[in-house]
Amino acid sequence: MDHFDAIRLFDKTLRNLDAWMKKAAAHAEAKSFEADVLAHARLAPDAYELIRQVQSACDQAKFAAAYLGGKQAPAHPDTEKTFAELHQRIEKCLAFLETFQATDFARAEDRKVAPPWLGGAWLRGDDYLAHVAIPNFFFHVTMAYAILRHNGVNLGKMDYVGSLPTHEG
Amino acid sequence: MDHFDAIRLFDKTLRNLDAWMKKAAAHAEAKSFEADVLAHARLAPDAYELIRQVQSACDQAKFAAAYLGGKQAPAHPDTEKTFAELHQRIEKCLAFLETFQATDFARAEDRKVAPPWLGGAWLRGDDYLAHVAIPNFFFHVTMAYAILRHNGVNLGKMDYVGSLPTHEG
């Protein structure tokens, strides 16, 4: 699995997340409550609400692509308040991910990745992917999924995993 | 990130999970309730309880290593009931992961991976890692983390991520 494969995995998974949000909106409508109530749901008083889980998942994907593919990440201010706006946030992130090609990641393994929160220290590109981008991306999408499941949205493992490129015979 | 890197990432993350469980046990003791109450906690009536999240995380790591590294996975029956037994389950899984070397994964990318639940179909090794092993492994560890956070255990992002191989200068 190379770095481009990882970005494509993030792309696919954000599309899955977008589909969970659609199911959540349909669930809210069926139950006659505002879907945006779910947008503010969280699993603990000091845990991120759904809005911030979605924003964070998008940012993990966006920054991984930018750092490893050598492009400037576009600014996506965390201003979303509604499901409709979160859908747009996911769309903006996907549009950025779609600008990358496999060749952008040719030197990704050994790039020095120095995000501001490391305070001047850096990680090798390969280590950034394995120790930061992948665990954190899947953390935030799974927390979003968990918030929806905890609030009664009917999601299952195939919603989480999405389509699989299987072969027969 | 090659397949061996992914197995080492699972190994590291299972050690993180084991540390969250220790924090959870300490939390229960401070609050004077049985830690094993947490073992049966779940986020929704039809979601896995903590025990099964830990078992599933272990199995995702074990089967990824076995399928991609070309070894038979040892049987680890899902008999755990307590935190102490879950710790042993994690230890057993880690012991199996530690039997692998980078060279075991030399042909992992193109191996045909045909887990029983695919009903005869198969995935390329690279696709199994990206579409099954990584998303599902991080799903179950994050759900375990979410169950503990939801029940008041004081965990933060650095507990989740663990140590980072940073460089200075």
Side-chain angles (χ1 to χ4, degrees):
Chain A
M1 194 180 83
D2 63 24
H3 290 76
F4 185 50
D5 291 334
I7 301 306
R8 288 191 297 182
L9 174 61
F10 296 162
D11 186 299
K12 169 195 173 178
T13 306
L14 288 174
R15 293 175 195 278
N16 294 346
L17 169 61
D18 202 36
W20 313 337
M21 304 286 280
K22 284 196 180 70
K23 278 202 173 186
H27 172 80
E29 189 174 354
K31 290 279 194 180
S32 301
F33 69 83
E34 293 291 326
D36 296 336
V37 173
L38 293 174
H40 297 290
R42 63 182 88 226
L43 290 178
D46 58 345
Y48 285 1
E49 60 184 5
L50 180 66
I51 290 173
R52 201 158 170 193
Q53 302 288 359
V54 175
Q55 291 167 339
S56 299
C58 288
D59 276 0
Q60 288 293 337
K62 178 181 79 172
F63 285 115
Y67 290 144
L68 299 171
K71 294 189 189 183
Q72 182 73 30
H76 292 160
D78 293 331
T79 53
E80 293 83 8
K81 302 276 181 226
T82 66
F83 266 43
E85 289 167 353
L86 289 173
H87 171 69
Q88 291 165 6
R89 174 67 174 260
I90 293 170
E91 291 286 309
K92 280 193 295 188
C93 184
L94 291 171
F96 179 60
L97 299 186
E98 298 286 338
T99 67
F100 288 84
Q101 298 183 315
T103 50
D104 292 319
F105 300 96
R107 297 182 304 114
E109 188 171 323
D110 292 317
R111 280 187 198 273
K112 283 189 177 186
V113 178
W117 54 269
L118 276 180
W122 55 275
L123 289 160
R124 285 183 59 239
D126 239 22
D127 289 332
Y128 181 82
L129 181 65
H131 291 268
V132 177
I134 287 175
N136 283 326
F137 175 80
F138 283 103
F139 179 87
H140 293 294
V141 293
T142 301
M143 290 301 267
Y145 181 99
I147 290 168
L148 296 177
R149 283 282 275 116
H150 184 61
N151 282 279
V153 179
N154 187 26
L155 298 172
K157 187 50 93 58
M158 291 319 294
D159 294 295
Y160 176 74
V161 171
S163 64
L164 295 177
T166 53
H167 303 270
E168 300 287 337
Chain B
M1 194 180 82
D2 62 25
H3 291 76
F4 185 50
D5 291 334
I7 301 306
R8 288 191 297 183
L9 175 61
F10 296 162
D11 185 300
K12 169 195 173 179
T13 305
L14 288 173
R15 293 176 195 277
N16 294 346
L17 169 61
D18 202 36
W20 313 337
M21 303 285 281
K22 284 198 180 69
K23 278 203 172 185
H27 173 79
E29 188 173 355
K31 291 279 195 180
S32 302
F33 68 84
E34 293 292 326
D36 296 336
V37 173
L38 293 174
H40 297 290
R42 62 183 89 227
L43 289 178
D46 58 344
Y48 286 0
E49 60 184 4
L50 180 66
I51 290 172
R52 198 157 171 196
Q53 302 288 359
V54 175
Q55 291 166 339
S56 299
C58 288
D59 277 359
Q60 288 292 337
K62 178 181 79 172
F63 284 115
Y67 289 143
L68 299 171
K71 294 188 189 183
Q72 182 73 29
H76 292 159
D78 293 331
T79 52
E80 294 82 8
K81 301 275 184 229
T82 67
F83 266 44
E85 289 166 354
L86 289 172
H87 170 70
Q88 291 165 7
R89 174 68 174 259
I90 294 170
E91 291 285 310
K92 279 192 295 188
C93 184
L94 290 171
F96 178 61
L97 299 186
E98 298 286 338
T99 67
F100 288 84
Q101 298 184 315
T103 49
D104 293 319
F105 301 96
R107 298 183 303 113
E109 188 171 325
D110 292 315
R111 280 187 198 273
K112 282 190 178 185
V113 178
W117 54 268
L118 276 180
W122 55 274
L123 289 160
R124 284 184 58 238
D126 239 23
D127 289 331
Y128 181 81
L129 182 65
H131 292 268
V132 176
I134 287 176
N136 283 326
F137 175 80
F138 283 104
F139 179 87
H140 293 294
V141 293
T142 301
M143 290 300 268
Y145 181 99
I147 289 169
L148 296 177
R149 283 283 273 119
H150 184 61
N151 282 278
V153 179
N154 187 25
L155 298 172
K157 187 51 92 60
M158 291 319 294
D159 294 295
Y160 176 73
V161 171
S163 64
L164 295 176
T166 53
H167 303 270
E168 301 286 338

